[in-house]
Amino acid sequence: MTSQTVVIREKELYKKAEAAANLFNLKCLGVLCCIVVICDLLNETGVFEVAFSIMRIGMLVSLIFFSTPIIVRFIHDKVMRRVPSYLENDNFKMLIIVSAFFGISLICVTLTHQALIAMAVPPLIAAQYRDQKRLFRIILTLTVILVPVGVYGGFLFGNADQNLLNALSM
């Protein structure tokens, strides 16, 4: 077995691993799409106390962010039937991560303190790509920055966390 054969097999394994991570992350984005719809329905029934116009716009744009990679893959693989699968594209992981980050950002601004657990999603999605440690660190840093941005962003939209209002009034 030559070194060139070993390199080719390593590249094939890398592509398969990345395609599996992309598929898993697409499934996560599908679950996030469902969560967005559920959050909007909970706001309509009065569980969340967010202005209806802000909630509808925030959730609609989040839904667009989350569903974009799913739609791109569906059109490429199922409608156009192109080979190789778009899951093996090197840039597809960036589309998934950016879509997840911006979608979660909108959810955090819209729901403020009620969406704290959602902030763990972008680093978890980035962690699926084992060879991209730098990317994971960047997303983790941006997510840590997202915490105050989400709270103060909600405050600017008139949708502030009550704890923030109590702290500011002291």
Side-chain angles (χ1 to χ4, degrees):
M1 190 178 279
T2 65
S3 64
Q4 188 177 15
T5 309
V6 171
V7 170
I8 291 172
R9 286 191 180 174
E10 285 178 0
K11 286 182 182 180
E12 289 174 8
L13 286 174
Y14 170 76
K15 285 207 177 261
K16 286 181 183 179
E18 190 164 291
N22 285 338
L23 184 60
F24 177 80
N25 287 336
L26 284 179
K27 290 176 183 177
C28 289
L29 289 178
V31 169
L32 287 172
C33 287
C34 295
I35 289 172
V36 164
V37 171
I38 290 169
C39 286
D40 196 31
L41 291 173
L42 288 175
N43 191 57
E44 294 292 329
T45 60
V47 173
F48 296 133
E49 298 175 359
V50 180
F52 291 117
S53 60
I54 292 173
M55 185 69 158
R56 287 182 186 136
I57 292 170
M59 294 298 116
L60 178 64
V61 175
S62 293
L63 188 63
I64 290 169
F65 275 122
F66 294 146
S67 62
T68 298
I70 298 169
I71 293 169
V72 166
R73 190 241 176 176
F74 178 77
I75 290 172
H76 183 273
D77 290 357
K78 304 296 182 194
V79 175
M80 297 173 71
R81 297 183 183 179
R82 295 224 174 141
V83 177
S85 173
Y86 204 69
L87 293 172
E88 296 177 10
N89 189 322
D90 291 335
N91 297 324
F92 192 52
K93 64 183 165 200
M94 295 306 289
L95 176 65
I96 292 171
I97 292 170
V98 168
S99 295
F101 183 77
F102 284 123
I104 293 294
S105 299
L106 282 169
I107 288 175
C108 290
V109 169
T110 305
L111 294 176
T112 62
H113 68 286
Q114 298 164 343
L116 288 176
I117 193 75
M119 291 184 199
V121 173
L124 291 175
I125 286 178
Q128 294 298 315
Y129 304 103
R130 299 176 198 271
D131 65 323
Q132 301 288 327
K133 291 181 182 176
R134 182 175 180 206
L135 177 67
F136 171 72
R137 289 184 187 121
I138 291 170
I139 294 296
L140 186 62
T141 304
L142 289 174
T143 303
V144 168
I145 293 170
L146 179 63
V147 172
V149 169
V151 173
Y152 289 110
F155 180 73
L156 292 174
F157 281 117
N159 185 27
D161 181 1
Q162 191 60 39
N163 294 327
L164 174 66
L165 294 177
N166 290 340
L168 292 175
S169 66
M170 288 183 161

